Amino acid sequence: MTGAGHFSTADGDVGLLSPVSASPLVAALTGDRAVLGAILAVEAGWAAVLEKAGLAPAGSAAVVVSAADARRYDVADIARRAQGGGNPVIPLLADLRKNVQALDSAGIGATTAVHTSLTSQDVLDTALMLVARHTVQAVLGDLKRTAAALAALAEQHAETLCVGRSLTQHSLPFTFGLRAAQWFHGVAAAGRHLESLELPVQFGGAAGTLAAGTALTSGTVSTPFTLADRLATQLGLAAAPAPWHTNRLAVTSLGNALASVLDACGKIAADVLFLSRPEVAELAEPVAAGRGVSSAMPHKQNPVLSVLVRSAALQAPGLAAQLHVAAANFNDERPDGAWHSEWPALRQLLALSLGAAGQIGELVEGLRTYPDAMRRNLDLAGPLVLAEGVAAAVAPLLKDADGQEGGRSGKQQLQTLVDRTLEVPAAEQGATYRRLLREAVPANLLPDDKLAELLDPANYLGQASTISGRILAAFPDFAGRDNSFLKTTSSAHIDANGANHG
């Protein structure tokens, strides 16, 4: 573009307004040329299947493969011409047939191997599954890299104290190791689900009855089903038991899995955004030249990796919902518009997932942790974060007005202590709570050393370490190593109810 209103064919969508997915890898795997290449790969693969089955002239597959070089085709021109038939397969086929004919120097009739018995939806659905397969492989690589880094953080910080938060407020003592393990859990579970998906080949012909394929294979040992299975093998996709022109579970399942990946990445980003605020300062993103800069404030170091990942996560639910809206409106045997509305939503989910997976990997691998700040924030919460544990231990020691021990009145008395503590300034709450407890419970029932133990946050972590170990053990393929941490935490016997009998 040289000025307002002046555009060139080179001015495509390069991600100017979607920086999370603006990368050469995302463009190479999900961009228009990637889709074009996948369509051509399907047509070339089908030609090879037909030739091998004796249903196309010998040598025709090689001609089609040569003609299916994506560099021969003008993507922008094909996109414009797609308006004539409603999808890009139709104009691309016209160009492919011309190129096959031009390259068929031996005159073997290689054009008969192009698209025979297929319909546009067979080719485009299969091509999008092929785009998805390549993209999913790359996403999984980044997720496993991220998960391995999170597993390392969980091990390294197994005993690093911090404060847990519930509904924005301090809740209980926590460990950063468990926080990292829970991040790992989300990434690994989403990754495993994505990895388990089958991405099927599409076949069915003009109305899903395989009528043309049946005619093509009549009198041969092949059937439309065996041809489709061979195409699936050729392309590295899953075989399908039947055409799925209007049964879109393959697409919605893929969309759901990608949205789950972005959910898991978004959770990490949201936590890092909060924990890297200057007033919290428990974490910081990795530093890189030119990253996190402000156009107006030179002192700022914005957590831009988390910002970009969160932007992707916030878009995912709407895109996944679009796939479901489309699936519910696939009318007749071939749909009018619902199918078309899938393409951009699915492609955008793939692009965002790949972009965010790369960004979250870089974020986690270079994440800077500040245990001293974590402990400072825990200490700011004061001993009130231990009120739950104190109540369990102290309530039975308190006597009600009738001299009966324990029960509801003990809890009521402790709640009164908490309420009185909250009336003083935050800086004084710790000393106040300790004093009130000491006054309420005789030393012969609760010696000073036992009271100190009750008010030590390290003594009220529940099963935090064991929980982390169980999470990592559930996903060894994502943890990236044999977990010495897991062996340590599993040395104590854990029964079916989760009780630790060390």
Side-chain angles (χ1 to χ4, degrees), residues 55-298:
L55 299 172
S60 57
V63 178
V64 175
V65 168
S66 180
D69 185 339
R71 292 170 295 184
R72 296 178 178 273
Y73 300 88
D74 184 338
V75 178
D77 178 63
I78 290 169
R80 285 191 295 270
R81 288 158 55 207
Q83 295 179 11
N87 74 72
V89 176
I90 296 171
L92 180 57
L93 272 176
D95 294 351
L96 176 61
R97 287 190 172 106
K98 288 179 183 177
N99 285 331
V100 169
Q101 188 170 15
L103 293 169
D104 187 8
S105 57
I108 60 174
T111 55
T112 60
V114 177
H115 202 68
T116 300
S117 80
L118 299 180
T119 193
S120 297
Q121 190 173 352
D122 295 336
V123 176
L124 190 51
D125 277 352
T126 303
L128 289 176
M129 291 295 106
L130 190 56
V131 168
R133 182 174 72 83
H134 295 152
T135 305
V136 164
Q137 287 174 344
V139 170
L140 285 171
D142 282 330
L143 291 182
K144 290 187 176 183
R145 173 169 67 102
T146 300
L150 289 171
L153 284 173
E155 294 176 355
Q156 179 184 351
H157 293 282
E159 298 181 359
T160 300
L161 292 176
C162 62
V163 65
R165 297 174 178 89
S166 174
L167 298 173
T168 77
Q169 304 300 298
H170 292 165
S171 57
L172 294 176
F174 209 72
T175 68
F176 183 68
L178 180 54
R179 182 169 288 142
Q182 292 289 11
W183 290 346
F184 168 91
H185 194 182
V187 168
R192 180 176 288 179
H193 178 49
L194 182 63
E195 195 171 36
S196 71
L197 292 182
E198 288 193 342
L199 303 175
V201 71
Q202 177 68 283
F203 66 109
T209 63
L210 295 170
T214 301
L216 176 67
T217 57
S218 178
T220 74
V221 296
S222 297
T223 70
F225 302 101
T226 60
L227 296 182
D229 289 348
R230 290 171 190 163
L231 179 62
T233 300
Q234 178 92 6
L235 298 175
L237 297 175
W244 46 279
H245 285 164
T246 56
N247 300 316
R248 308 307 288 177
L249 187 61
V251 175
T252 55
S253 295
L254 174 58
N256 292 343
L258 293 170
S260 294
V261 166
L262 287 168
D263 290 345
C265 294
K267 161 60 178 170
I268 298 171
D271 281 350
V272 173
L273 285 168
F274 172 75
L275 295 171
S276 62
R277 288 173 179 263
E279 61 271 24
V280 181
E282 296 181 13
L283 300 175
E285 288 195 350
V287 176
R291 178 186 293 148
V293 297
S294 166
S295 65
M297 293 171 282

Side-chain angles (χ1 to χ4, degrees), residues 283-342:
L283 300 175
E285 288 195 350
V287 176
R291 178 186 293 148
V293 297
S294 166
S295 65
M297 293 171 282
H299 66 281
K300 289 190 71 180
Q301 185 65 45
N302 295 320
V304 69
L305 290 174
S306 299
V307 168
L308 294 180
V309 170
R310 189 161 188 257
S311 76
L314 292 174
Q315 295 175 68
L319 294 167
Q322 175 59 48
L323 297 178
H324 286 278
V325 169
N329 286 279
F330 263 57
N331 58 325
D332 301 328
E333 281 60 58
R334 295 277 304 285
D336 54 2
W339 178 49
H340 304 71
S341 71
E342 273 185 353

